[in-house]
Amino acid sequence: MKVAVGSDHAGFHLKNRLRDMLRNEGYDVRDHGATGAESSDYPDFGAKVGHAVANGEAELGVLICGTGAGICISANKIPGIRAVAVSEPVTARLTRTHNDANIICMGERIVGPEVAAEIVRVFLSTPFSGGERHARRIEKISELEHPA
Ligand code: RB5
């Protein structure tokens, strides 16, 4: 599976750790930065990973900032992106099965590295349920991107 990862400076260390873990586990990971811990702007990386997932370059994405919030808000501005900020694995699973979320976001200042690893593993390995009611609701989300 192709996975896009990204972070700002505040998520740099956790992003690198998760990137390396996923590569070791056989995922095809493209790192969209940040490339260092100097100050950077989370919308730049939310947009890069958002575009990579929206255009099909990657199936799913992983984004890290200090809280997980700003980079998630940014990614959700890209049409087709359903990014969700989580701090535990249950929501990571349910947002795949119910919402067909395509990017998971976390905060390096919020989530410990072992919990983050579990969240990413659960997110990437859980399929969308495909249920009719969930598909209908996701279609309604898509319609919000194109107001009449
Ligand atoms: C950077 O200091 C911090 O504001 C950013 O990483 C993120 O937490 C914003 O939502």
Side-chain angles (χ1 to χ4, degrees):
M1 177 189 283
K2 290 188 171 160
V3 178
V5 304
S7 73
D8 68 355
H9 61 288
F12 174 68
H13 297 290
L14 181 58
K15 181 263 293 175
N16 287 354
R17 185 182 173 117
L18 295 172
R19 175 199 64 204
D20 295 346
M21 177 194 86
L22 292 175
R23 284 179 176 157
N24 283 337
E25 294 180 4
Y27 288 93
D28 180 358
V29 182
R30 173 149 181 218
D31 185 349
H32 292 264
T35 55
E38 63 279 2
S39 184
S40 57
D41 297 335
Y42 56 79
D44 298 340
F45 305 100
K48 283 181 185 176
V49 169
H51 284 299
V53 172
N55 70 24
E57 188 186 309
E59 276 178 63
L60 294 172
V62 178
L63 284 170
I64 315 292
C65 66
T67 60
I71 208 159
C72 193
I73 293 168
S74 306
N76 275 315
K77 299 298 181 187
I78 309 300
I81 293 306
R82 292 177 298 280
V84 181
V86 311
S87 55
E88 41 67 36
V90 176
T91 307
R93 176 171 57 82
L94 291 175
T95 201
R96 287 289 303 131
T97 58
H98 288 205
N99 315 125
D100 199 12
N102 48 21
I103 297 182
I104 197 82
C105 308
M106 288 176 283
E108 181 172 334
R109 296 171 180 165
I110 308 296
V111 182
E114 292 301 322
V115 174
E118 179 67 11
I119 286 169
V120 168
R121 287 191 180 108
V122 166
F123 183 76
L124 297 180
S125 63
T126 302
F128 174 50
S129 72
E132 189 278 330
R133 72 184 190 285
H134 295 312
R136 182 179 68 245
R137 292 162 188 164
I138 292 162
E139 182 55 32
K140 288 188 176 186
I141 294 173
S142 300
E143 288 168 8
L144 295 173
E145 293 173 352
H146 309 287

